[in-house]
């Protein structure tokens, strides 16, 4: 294991770690424990080079900036922290996030924001398949397009898609709501377009503002559950 | 889980460094595939009518895999007597590359009868193939992967999930001439594919699911499809999860199934195109910061020519 070589960055309460020299485990330990003890609020991470679990499991109001591409599970289970990646993220970015803000300036791979309970995930580029799968209350804003099966079985929360969506968008949705600006290749079972209300326009405006995207909320369409799968239809002519 | 790596150099000056650039890529995928590794490297073709054949002899139990335990020169003497043509052989540990003016079919038949311990790993004019069990780093060292030269290569690190850990079950798989395939994923209907191909006279070496895909694509190409058309037919006939990376003497090709559960990242510059399951195997490449980095979309075929 490499030694911990933290060096103060410009601001007094900030730190910089170079993952070319420091083990990721040391960096995450610092973020989990030492940062609070030492009063550090801002941390910069250099040369992640596709590392897994960067800034995972944080539970403090930290500002973390990562310069480069990261691998699986960026900022997984995040609470309170604001994590920005100046690069692309691998599968499972901000998976099971509880609160805080995770921003990916490049693209995010499969399962971005999966099962997030709270907080906001901003992906400035495209998101791959299964974005927001099983979302449980978090918000996701995607500047580009999302892949197929996004928002599958999403239970609560909001997803704003500024580009297009692949197949089966919102399949088996519960109470989560999707707002999309571009085209949808196909909707999943039980997902349907619904009229935008003033409340929806306000929600989109709020989320676009958080993300820093300039689109007009009026350009978005609402997709929600038709709730036809909520109850068993005994009259349906089905064979099993 | 498995790891895949591929590298095609566009700048001819990088051909001498192909192996050196690739070794960290392969070792970077050790966590995804610690039990076996292999690669196929494509280089300038041998002059017709010659062919190259990559040969392998599993070391007997208890024998150090790094030591040459097989009498390659004795085999060569007998081969020259048995199949009267020019043959040249260079060997390294359990592995040898035979360059022969004879018909590879005749050589393969001779080997089967007179040197049954020898496995034929690949046949062609450009391809050399290495695969073995052990950690990717130990295999890279055993066969001096860092010295390999050529235009492109296809590599794999294996974590076996559906068939035995043996050199024969390691990837890449080959079929026909100058064609190889590596696979991250698992097929759910390999036996169906096999039952379709075997009555056509197509022989299988193992019970591995990936071999079914490899032989399926090669069969389609013999039936007149180009590789891209063969892959499109595969969407209909191959069921399961896959990222397939394939090499021919002329091209490198990657495709992911419709669900794309198995990852892949491509980094392309003016100098090279590099492919891996994860970015961490690409991070060391020269000029990577300015590369175009993307993930192949499901059921889209991406190919690059030499």
């Amino acid at each position: 294991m490499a030694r911990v070589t933290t060096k103060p960055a410009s601001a007094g309460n900030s730190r910089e770690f170079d993952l070319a020299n420091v083990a990721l485990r040391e960096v995450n330990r610092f973020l989990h424990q030492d940062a609070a003890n030492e009063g550090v609020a801002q941390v910069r991470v250099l040369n992640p080079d596709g590392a897994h679990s960067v800034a995972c499991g944080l539970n403090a109001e930290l500002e973390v900036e990562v310069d480069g591409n990261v691998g699986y599970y960026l900022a997984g289970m995040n609470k309170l922290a604001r994590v920005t990646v100046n690069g692309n993220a691998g599968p499972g970015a901000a998976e099971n996030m509880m609160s805080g803000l995770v921003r990916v300036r490049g693209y995010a791979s499969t399962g971005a924001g999966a099962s997030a309970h709270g907080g906001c995930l901003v992906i400035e580029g495209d998101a791959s398949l299964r974005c927001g799968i099983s979302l449980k209350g978090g918000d996701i804003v995607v500047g580009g397009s999302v892949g197929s099966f996004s928002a599958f079985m999403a239970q609560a929360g909001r997803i704003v898609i500024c580009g297009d969506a692949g197949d089966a968008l919102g399949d088996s949705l519960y109470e989560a709501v999707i707002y999309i600006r571009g085209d949808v290749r196909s909707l999943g079972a039980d997902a349907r377009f619904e009229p935008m209300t003033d409340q929806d326009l306000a929600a989109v405006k709020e989320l676009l503002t958080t993300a820093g995207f300039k689109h007009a909320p009026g350009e978005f369409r609402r997709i929600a559950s038709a709730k036809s799968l909520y109850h068993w239809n005994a009259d349906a002519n089905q064979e099993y | 889980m498995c790891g895949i790596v591929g590298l095609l150099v566009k700048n001819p000056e990088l051909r001498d460094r192909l192996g050196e650039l690739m070794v960290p890529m392969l070792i970077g995928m050790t966590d995804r595939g610690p039990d076996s590794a292999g690669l196929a490297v494509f280089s300038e073709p041998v002059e017709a009518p010659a062919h190259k054949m990559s040969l392998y002899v599993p070391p007997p139990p208890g024998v150090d895999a790094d030591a040459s335990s097989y009498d390659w020169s004795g085999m060569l003497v007998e081969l020259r007597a048995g199949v009267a043509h020019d043959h040249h052989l260079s060997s390294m540990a359990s592995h040898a590359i035979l360059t022969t003016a004879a018909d590879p079919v005749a050589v393969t038949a001779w080997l089967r009868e007179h040197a049954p311990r020898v496995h034929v790993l690949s046949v062609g004019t450009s391809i050399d193939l290495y695969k073995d069990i052990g950690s990717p780093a130990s295999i890279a060292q055993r066969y001096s992967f860092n010295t390999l030269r050529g235009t492109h290569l296809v590599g794999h690190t294996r974590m076996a999930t559906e068939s035995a850990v043996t050199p024969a079950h390691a990837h890449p798989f080959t079929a026909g001439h100058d064609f190889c395939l590596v696979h991250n994923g698992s097929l759910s209907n390999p036996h169906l594919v096999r039952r379709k191909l075997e009555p056509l006279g197509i022989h299988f070496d193992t019970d591995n699911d990936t071999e079914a895909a490899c032989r399926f694509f090669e069969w389609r190409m013999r039936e007149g499809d180009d590789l891209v058309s063969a892959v499109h037919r595969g969407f209909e006939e191959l069921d399961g999860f896959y990222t397939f990376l394939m090499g021919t003497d002329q091209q490198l090709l990657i495709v992911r199934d419709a669900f794309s559960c198995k990852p892949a990242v491509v980094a392309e510059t003016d100098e090279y195109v590099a492919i891996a399951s994860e970015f961490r195997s690409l991070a060391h490449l020269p000029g990577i910061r300015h590369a175009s980095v993307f993930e192949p979309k499901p059921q889209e075929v991406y190919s690059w020519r030499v």
Side-chain angles (χ1 to χ4, degrees):
Chain A
M1 284 290 159
R3 68 210 148 82
V4 185
T5 53
T6 66
K7 68 172 181 190
S10 52
N13 63 344
S14 65
R15 278 283 201 291
E16 188 173 284
F17 293 88
D18 186 346
L19 281 175
N21 305 315
V22 182
L24 173 69
R25 189 164 289 197
E26 303 298 332
V27 177
N28 279 344
R29 182 179 297 148
F30 181 86
L31 295 170
H32 293 160
Q33 297 168 15
D34 304 341
N37 299 337
E38 297 178 23
V40 172
Q42 288 179 310
V43 175
R44 196 175 180 88
V45 179
L46 307 177
N47 295 310
D49 286 354
H52 296 188
S53 309
V54 173
C56 207
L58 303 193
N59 187 10
E61 287 188 9
L62 289 164
E63 191 90 36
V64 182
E65 189 159 355
V66 184
D67 273 345
N69 300 323
V70 297
Y72 283 70
Y73 309 126
L74 161 78
M77 304 175 283
N78 187 60
K79 272 187 189 169
L80 301 171
R82 297 167 68 88
V83 180
T84 300
V85 172
N86 298 316
N88 307 314
E95 190 169 281
N96 218 65
M97 174 163 55
M98 304 305 285
S99 63
L101 180 87
V102 175
R103 180 183 293 274
V104 177
R105 295 209 188 272
Y107 72 72
S109 186
T110 52
S115 150
H117 292 246
C120 184
L121 168 63
V122 178
I123 299 157
E124 296 190 1
D126 292 335
S128 184
L129 294 84
R130 298 179 286 283
C131 178
I133 184 171
S134 197
L135 193 69
K136 290 179 172 66
D139 293 322
I140 301 175
V141 188
V142 181
S145 298
V146 301
S148 297
F149 318 110
S150 288
F152 175 58
M153 292 186 85
Q155 292 136 57
R158 301 170 294 184
I159 304 179
V160 173
I161 304 159
C162 299
D164 304 326
D167 282 316
L169 178 65
D171 194 291
S172 307
L173 269 178
Y174 292 85
E175 300 293 317
V177 178
I178 302 164
Y179 301 103
I180 186 158
R181 182 165 163 270
D183 298 326
V184 177
R185 203 185 306 145
S186 66
L187 287 175
D190 210 29
R192 69 178 183 194
F193 286 103
E194 294 181 348
M196 291 282 282
T197 64
D198 288 347
Q199 218 177 349
D200 292 316
L201 291 168
V204 172
K205 187 178 177 189
E206 174 209 328
L207 290 165
L208 289 173
T209 303
T210 301
F213 299 147
K214 304 277 184 221
H215 308 296
E219 295 172 1
F220 288 78
R221 295 179 290 164
R222 174 189 159 101
I223 297 163
S225 173
K227 304 183 183 178
S228 62
L229 298 177
Y230 276 33
H231 303 286
W232 173 250
N233 179 5
D235 296 330
N237 182 20
Q238 296 172 106
E239 284 185 77
Y240 295 98
Chain B
M1 195 188 275
C2 290
I4 60 156
V5 296
L7 181 63
L8 181 149
V9 293
K10 301 175 183 177
N11 177 356
E13 287 175 14
L14 286 178
R15 288 178 185 177
D16 287 348
R17 295 181 56 202
L18 189 72
E20 170 201 331
L21 291 169
M22 181 279 310
V23 167
M25 295 174 68
L26 193 76
I27 292 173
M29 289 292 92
T30 300
D31 291 350
R32 298 187 67 91
D35 68 46
S36 329
L39 69 80
V41 58
F42 295 86
S43 50
E44 284 292 311
V46 291
E47 262 181 53
H51 285 87
K52 290 198 289 184
M53 301 172 73
S54 290
L55 308 178
Y56 176 83
V57 174
V63 172
D64 180 5
D66 290 331
S68 178
S69 60
Y70 187 73
D71 181 11
W72 289 109
S73 50
M75 187 217 81
L76 185 61
V77 169
E78 288 178 30
L79 175 64
R80 282 177 175 144
V83 182
H85 273 284
D86 281 346
H87 305 285
H88 173 77
L89 187 135
S90 65
S91 67
M92 192 186 293
S94 311
H95 186 275
I97 295 171
L98 176 71
T99 308
T100 178
D103 182 348
V105 174
V107 175
T108 304
W110 184 89
L111 288 170
R112 198 171 291 149
E113 190 170 343
H114 300 281
R117 288 179 61 203
V118 176
H119 294 245
V120 177
L121 300 181
S122 67
V123 181
T125 58
S126 297
I127 189 172
D128 295 327
L129 195 132
Y130 305 81
K131 59 183 186 177
D132 211 335
I133 53 174
S135 72
S138 68
I139 294 164
Q141 192 173 17
R142 186 173 305 154
Y143 300 115
S144 300
F145 282 172
N146 61 333
T147 64
L148 291 175
R149 296 167 179 186
T151 49
H152 57 301
L153 57 80
V154 170
H156 188 266
T157 64
R158 181 167 187 242
M159 183 187 288
T161 52
E162 57 68 60
S163 58
V165 177
T166 76
H169 288 82
H171 302 213
F173 282 89
T174 63
H177 287 191
D178 288 319
F179 173 62
C180 78
L181 176 150
V182 297
H183 176 200
N184 175 201
S186 55
L187 297 180
S188 51
N189 67 342
H191 301 291
L192 196 72
V193 175
R194 190 175 174 140
R195 283 197 295 274
K196 175 176 178 151
L197 298 182
E198 280 180 329
L200 304 173
I202 293 170
H203 169 78
F204 281 70
D205 291 331
T206 72
D207 56 348
N208 181 282
D209 60 338
T210 304
E211 186 179 354
C214 182
R215 296 204 182 276
F216 175 83
F217 291 134
E218 193 271 334
W219 166 64
R220 286 314 315 160
M221 287 191 283
R222 266 190 289 122
E223 292 294 308
D225 285 353
D226 59 28
L227 183 52
V228 174
S229 315
V231 167
H232 279 274
R233 193 178 280 252
F235 293 150
E236 306 302 319
E237 302 208 28
L238 300 173
D239 189 20
F241 295 119
Y242 52 81
T243 294
F244 288 135
L245 178 64
M246 291 175 249
T248 71
D249 53 344
Q250 290 300 314
Q251 66 181 328
L252 186 66
L253 182 149
I254 187 165
V255 65
R256 302 169 77 195
D257 72 83
F259 294 89
S260 293
C261 290
K262 300 301 176 184
V265 180
V266 178
E268 186 163 14
T269 71
D270 291 340
E271 306 270 295
Y272 60 80
V273 54
I275 299 168
S277 297
E278 300 179 35
F279 181 78
R280 59 190 170 134
S281 267
L282 306 175
H284 68 284
L285 290 168
I288 190 72
R289 281 174 196 279
H290 306 292
S292 159
V293 176
F294 65 94
E295 295 190 341
K297 293 187 189 306
Q299 291 197 326
E300 270 188 37
V301 182
Y302 298 79
S303 71
W304 295 266
R305 300 195 82 83
V306 174

